[in-house]
Amino acid sequence: MASNSGAAPGAEGARNLTLKRCLDVLRDAKNDSEQFAALLLVTKAVRAGEVDSKTRRQIFDAIGFTFPNRLLTSREPPAGCPEHMFQALGLTLLACFCTDPELASHSQILNKIPTFNDILVSPCNPDSSSMVDDVYQCLTAVMATPRGPKELVSKGTVSALCQAYVNCSYGSDRALQLLLGLLAAAEAKCWQRDTPHLLAVLSKLSDEFLKTEDMAKFELCEVLPHFIPLSPPLTQDSQGSECLHRLYKGLANILGSKLSQSQRDPALKLAACLVQACGSDWIPAGRAGSKFLALLVNLACVEVRLILEEPDPLDVEGKKEVVTACYVLIEMGIQECLSEEKPLLEEVQKMQLMRIMEEAFGAAIFYLRQVRQEELHDPFIFASVRILGAWMAEETSSLKEEICELLPFLVHYAKKLFKEGETAASLPQPDGTPAGLDSSEGSGLPRDALRFLLPGFCHLTAEDKPRDILISSGAPALLCEYFLHQWEVLTSEPGSLPPLTSTEMSLQTACGIFFNLVVTAPDLIRRDKYFSSLMDMLLKSLPFLLPRKDHLVLAANIATLGLMMSRILASSAVLQGTQSAKEFFGATIRFLSEAHTAQTDPTSHCLAVAVSPAYETAWADIRELWFLGMQAFASCVSLFPWLPQTVLQARWLEGLSELLAQVTPASVDFELVAAFQGVVVELARVSKPCKEVILLHQGEEWANLYGMAALEQCLSEQ
């Protein structure tokens, strides 16, 4: 049949003509009644879904926001009409406008958010259900805009959605979906503003999780992690603690049963989420709790082996998320196996789990050995290296050969991420601030893998074979560069240094590695230019760091490392009486000389030598470093002709004489006497002025009193 372009339009065309006439009326109406009649037809078409995007825009151009705003504020509908008729019409129009992303982010929509919230928390009857539908459509559209989540959180939508869900109001399923979206976009802000309401939702979900016995239980495993905050509320709130107990019981029921892969994976992810938020605090003490914890770690290890031992890497691809969750559970297992204070596990369980975890780490090493260069930016590789670092930090004897074979890859991987992180950190960000090296998940920037490998490297550099592999793989140069960078990060904060951070911990651990290299590979320190740069940085950093409160452990590491490296690099230009060298040694003298003081012994009421109050809290961590520092300082005295003069200027000998003259000899243990004698003998042997000061302050008397035979002999020589 030939087409007839002039034929009458069909039903759809008739509707469009009707809408067009309505729009004309809306534009040209001379009074409210004409406009209202046309509006009824428009909203009827909108509700029926008969409006395309072009027509929606025409509706908006015809009436704008003014008329919907009037409808929302009108409180008196025509006689015989539903109570909320005007509000319902206004909401229908706004829901229509919100389908246009540009309009959904308009301030006239955003300032209606409190109105939307009020409707969600108001009692809903059959006549008002369409209003609730329109509100959810508006909120969903707003959340999809760039500013939307922030606006919704700040204007109280989280609270309204929580109430709608907890009260099982009409559309509560949509409330839950919107909450999931808001938590994904702004979790910290949501919990900061609406903790009680979010806990109420978690309480309801956890109750359902415990009581449900069908497939819904596994669906809840997928939902619940979104409502478990990483911040304190769960463990600090009684309602949160009750939620945790219900989740524990629900998971114990699930994981104690025979499960398919699709059922077990969500349960393991939920357990991992709880561990990330609360550690093992959500698992009760006692036989049932220890049995559950052992089961959890066991299942995680089995899962890791099953997936990572697959010969085809493609088989791993779709299972990385669950393996990452298993890593979290295994790391908890490591910590609990090493825990001595209130351990959840019995000794037999610990031994069994260590064997099982060793097998899982064997699988992780097997997987990492197959990684290709183009895969290095995969977050799963980072997670695998991180968990291996946790194992290497604690378990130094097992899988040693396998780990040694993997060391070149680990160094290469850490170096690649570090170099890319430096590049990224030097690029300005949209807000003008530099990017951090240890960027958060999902930012697309490299992260700090070396931080997690440092403790393991510290153990390994104490042993010949792994140390040789690390050296040949370029680890020392990388560690020097990393140390310099981390020092810049630590000191980049304006004002005072922040309290103990992961950056400071990394610097301390790196010092431990350098100590091992100084003792076992002095030729490397002597020939590698990176260590000259490190020496220069140590000289300058100690005078800056030592006066800062709460950083004594790092200062002790830097002081002692600097002294030990000075013995090896004594001929380098930077140590030839330069200002930085003198300031460094002046700072080490303060560190060493101020560690002990005279205090009244509560038992004997006599003065006794004691650790200075400023050193007390850190002494357990720095005691060994202090003694090493005294030995190293004594060795430096003969290497640097200008050093005795620095000691005299600091009046260290006078202070030591005064201390030893005040206290009872019995209060000074042999190790401390030996440390003092080692330094004083070297000063007396090398420097005539120092010897004269010692003699002038009764050196011979206290040398005899404390059994310092070497000092007595030195002082008696002409």
Side-chain angles (χ1 to χ4, degrees), residues 246-439:
R246 286 194 288 268
L247 293 173
Y248 155 72
K249 290 180 74 174
L251 278 170
N253 292 340
I254 287 178
L255 295 172
S257 308
K258 190 174 182 180
L259 301 173
S260 66
Q261 183 89 37
S262 62
Q263 294 170 329
R264 185 169 57 251
D265 288 0
L268 289 172
K269 290 178 191 175
L270 173 56
C273 184
L274 288 165
V275 169
Q276 285 182 308
C278 313
S280 61
D281 291 345
W282 59 286
I283 302 172
R287 185 169 177 78
S290 68
K291 189 176 177 182
F292 172 75
L293 192 150
L295 172 66
L296 202 56
V297 177
N298 204 328
L299 287 172
C301 290
V302 170
E303 196 76 11
V304 167
R305 286 192 64 192
L306 284 173
I307 295 171
L308 296 189
E309 288 177 354
E310 287 288 342
D312 185 356
L314 290 175
D315 292 337
V316 179
E317 197 59 41
K319 300 169 184 173
K320 289 178 177 177
E321 194 177 340
V322 71
V323 175
T324 304
C326 291
Y327 286 161
V328 174
L329 300 175
I330 292 171
E331 188 167 0
M332 176 188 66
I334 295 172
Q335 292 165 356
E336 288 301 321
C337 284
L338 297 168
S339 174
E340 295 179 1
E341 187 178 340
K342 296 181 181 178
L344 284 173
L345 296 168
E346 298 172 1
E347 287 304 315
V348 175
Q349 290 173 313
K350 289 180 180 181
M351 291 173 63
Q352 290 171 340
L353 282 184
M354 289 300 283
R355 284 197 298 270
I356 294 164
M357 287 191 289
E358 182 177 334
E359 293 172 355
F361 282 108
I365 293 170
F366 172 79
Y367 175 77
L368 287 172
R369 287 176 65 182
Q370 300 176 78
V371 170
R372 298 186 298 274
Q373 186 71 19
E374 61 269 22
E375 297 175 304
L376 291 181
H377 288 106
D378 186 343
F380 180 68
I381 306 300
F382 184 89
S384 300
V385 169
R386 184 187 184 281
I387 188 66
L388 184 59
W391 176 257
M392 290 162 56
E394 306 297 348
E395 180 49 66
T396 57
S397 59
S398 71
L399 299 171
K400 188 165 291 180
E401 286 300 317
E402 292 85 346
I403 287 172
C404 282
E405 289 175 11
L406 192 67
L407 283 177
F409 165 79
L410 293 176
V411 173
H412 170 71
Y413 178 73
K415 183 176 182 179
K416 182 176 177 62
L417 263 61
F418 172 66
K419 292 292 187 183
E420 290 175 358
E422 277 195 312
T423 303
S426 67
L427 298 174
Q429 299 302 294
D431 62 357
T433 58
L437 193 112
D438 192 18
S439 306

Side-chain angles (χ1 to χ4, degrees), residues 110 113-118 120-121 139 148-164 179 182 189-190 193-194 197:
L110 299 180
I113 290 174
T115 302
F116 300 153
N117 297 340
D118 290 342
L120 288 185
V121 298
L139 292 175
K150 182 179 178 182
E151 293 287 337
L152 292 171
V153 172
S154 65
K155 290 182 166 65
T157 301
V158 172
S159 168
L161 292 169
C162 288
Q163 292 176 64
L179 279 172
L182 287 174
K189 287 287 184 188
C190 290
R193 284 182 54 95
D194 295 291
H197 293 106

Side-chain angles (χ1 to χ4, degrees), residues 59 84 114 140 146 173 188 345 363 372 436 517 609 637 657:
I59 295 171
H84 300 291
T140 302
D173 286 349
L345 296 168
R372 298 186 298 274
L517 294 176
V609 74
V637 170
S657 298

